[in-house]
Amino acid sequence: MAEVRTIGSLPVPNVQALAGTCNGSDEQIPERYIRTEATCEEVISNYHGDMAIPIIDLNKLLSPQSSEEECVKLRSACQYWGFFQLINHGVPEEVIENFRSNIIKFFSLPLDAKKEYSQLPNSLEGYGQTFVFSEDQKLDWGDMLYLQGLEILAHSPCIFQVIYQKLCNLPSDKHPLPLVNQRSLKIRQSLDQYSSETKSLSLCLFEFLAKAVGAEPESLLGIFEEQPRGMRMNYYPPCRQSDKVIGLSPHTDVVGLTLLLQVNDVQGLQIKRDGKWFSVDALSGAFIVNIGDTLEILSNGKFKSVEHRAMIHPNKERISTALFHYPRDDLLLSPLPEFVKDGKILSNGKFRSVEHRAVIYPNKERLSAALFNYARKDMMTSPLPEFVKDGKPKDELAMAEARTIGSISVPNVQELAGTCNGTDEQIPERYIRPEVSSDEVIKNNHGDMSIPIIDLDKLISPQSSQEECVKLISACQYWGFFQLINHGVPDEVTENLKNDLVEFFSQPLDAKKEYSQLPNSLEGYGQAFVVSDNQKLDWADMLYLQICPTESRDLRFWPNYPASFRHSIDAYSSATEHIGLSLMQFMAKAVGVEPKSLSSVFEGQARGLRMNYYPPCLKADKVLGLSPHTDLDGLTLLLQVNDVQGLQINKDGKWFSVNALNDALIVNIGDTLEILSNGKFRSVEHRAVVHPSRERISAALFYYPCQDLAISPLPDFVKDGKVKYKTISYQDLLIEYFTAELDGRNRLEKLKLEP
């Protein structure tokens, strides 16, 4: 137990008592509890259908007639939500109600009475708080009682025995001892009954989770059966200024599964999906179940551990209990073989192999705080000292691969253009591209010789959707590009972004260099795909930002000038969020496939924005703005920032100049979507050329798939059983793409199983 003593929480004021002193109209909440993000983040409430967390019926899982169908729902819930509500779970109502009643009684005790069960120094168990690890961190608006080792309650003294005596106010000098023991036994039995009933329930869920992905039930049962469980009982006092505090900070759970019971009827749980917070409306009598970090790792990412938090009601207390299921302490935490297809760990080093004890009981207090996941992405990808032996990260291969995806530093092209645009000046040899003048280019093309125009309004309208879908599928099959009109992005949003991009690129070079890419990084101001010192270079600079999910943003690279720049990007990101997903659904529909089959792969996943600046060049016929390539992603949305054209696409061996329509978005298929669709949609080679006397600016928005996806044709798109592409992990594809020069369609062609 020495290791357990290292993960305690610093003592802080009792929040229930604090709420009684600062809930007046003139009272101020202490600064340490003020959480500005509580008011600025978007929250979705009162949602239904596909926008609500799934409901799983245990009776249907158990019934032979409905088990298979319900298993599909269970897998989807764990894969895309990480949460579900469990109904008909079989835990007797009497057991739950007795347990709820005792929890409410405990938190109703006077503070001095509850303090008798306070946590000891360096201990998590008892009454107090968790995850307070510094004197200046922001605090949660909540108290809790945590108990560990529920399996031994029936055989050992329980904190509830003493609590119950106080609840009943039964001093030993006035009541016979047998009466006290009898009543104490009842509360012990209440907790023990709840523990026993939920234990069976949880093991049943582990069994069906394995079954849902075609794994042996024992693969999970053997890890969690007969293992310790912990229970955290949460008390969230009301707060008149509830929009300024958070009950429980955003986090993921480190465990396998969590079963949450809503003790009273006050809601407060929120989960994060697609960069937004969704309020969960807990069903009466249901358990809310969520996947923990341990199970995400064991399942090789097939089940998702999702960020969640607890919010506060302005005038009513909220009480809940979370039951945590831990694996064996000596478990080497890594993807289980049953969850790894083709012998590949699809996470590609995302999940380190570490002892579970090292995760739950770390040697440093700061690690226990990090595990409460205020920055989960950073924790997963950057090895902590505790996991580094001999000065080398255990995940050395993954770290080596990460180091290879940056771009070699080359001269700034905008500055170069200012020095070699005189009539007698020579363009450096590395920029000379003889193919520009020798390739056949079709300009001023019209009718069947121009890329199609798709009207999103017509796709959505029942009267015209079918006809427009025919045009859409033709565009995706034969061109791989189309211009999208009536896309719904407000003019003000696009104009603000355009103006800010022009202003950013107009700054002196020193100002832009403040946002330069770091070594081995793609984000920031610079170039991409420069991997050797002798390759030909593009006549362009760019600013690349990861914009979604919001927690992945690295604000070091987000310009502060112009002042509205960050807001403009955020507004554009929000306005375009569902365009790509809607288009994918219509693409699937157009070929007779379930719409969600495509959009679910990209929903809630990363998006990046590359802003391109192509300086003018007097010898424009000798340089290229962007080398011929296909895009790696699913879909790309290109916004033409100014009125200078330059995009060309390759069709039938000829280059076609694209005349971007005013207010349209140019959409193209990426490699990932071509593979997923088994070639029904085409990722087409394209490039950017340069104007002799005018700069050109554009912004490309990329929709990326699930990071741990095994990319291969989706079953819905393989009608004749003939798979046309090899399977490759998205991480491998990503590394291949960003560690080589742009190379037309060659990389994609190598993934074909036949010419």
Side-chain angles (χ1 to χ4, degrees), residues 454-563:
I454 301 297
D455 188 329
L456 187 57
D457 276 352
K458 290 184 177 179
L459 280 175
I460 294 170
S461 170
Q463 289 74 32
S464 54
S465 183
Q466 187 172 353
E467 182 180 352
E468 201 68 12
C469 271
V470 172
K471 288 177 60 180
L472 176 65
I473 193 60
S474 175
C476 296
Q477 280 182 332
Y478 301 112
W479 283 89
F481 272 80
F482 56 88
Q483 300 205 56
L484 187 70
I485 62 174
N486 294 322
H487 44 69
V489 180
D491 290 344
E492 181 184 6
V493 170
T494 54
E495 287 306 311
N496 287 343
L497 179 61
K498 288 176 178 180
N499 292 336
D500 285 347
L501 281 175
V502 170
E503 199 165 347
F504 171 77
F505 285 116
S506 299
Q507 294 182 96
L509 178 58
D510 286 345
K512 295 194 288 284
K513 277 189 172 180
E514 290 185 22
Y515 311 104
S516 292
Q517 297 164 327
L518 296 176
N520 308 312
S521 170
L522 293 176
E523 286 197 79
Y525 179 66
Q527 282 84 14
F529 306 107
V530 183
V531 296
S532 76
D533 289 324
N534 56 7
Q535 77 182 70
K536 291 293 187 178
L537 299 179
D538 291 335
W539 193 261
D541 304 310
M542 67 102 187
L543 173 66
Y544 179 78
L545 300 176
Q546 188 80 6
I547 61 172
C548 285
T550 52
E551 60 268 22
S552 71
R553 295 176 176 179
D554 192 336
L555 296 181
R556 291 176 299 175
F557 303 114
W558 287 58
N560 289 309
Y561 181 85

Side-chain angles (χ1 to χ4, degrees), residues 364-397:
K364 303 287 184 184
E365 288 183 12
R366 71 173 183 83
L367 182 57
S368 66
L371 284 170
F372 198 59
N373 242 337
Y374 292 93
R376 180 169 181 266
K377 184 184 179 217
D378 293 340
M379 186 191 73
M380 286 290 194
T381 57
S382 180
L384 294 164
E386 288 83 352
F387 297 107
V388 178
K389 303 298 183 184
D390 304 321
K392 292 182 179 180
K394 283 187 178 182
D395 196 6
E396 194 168 1
L397 175 61

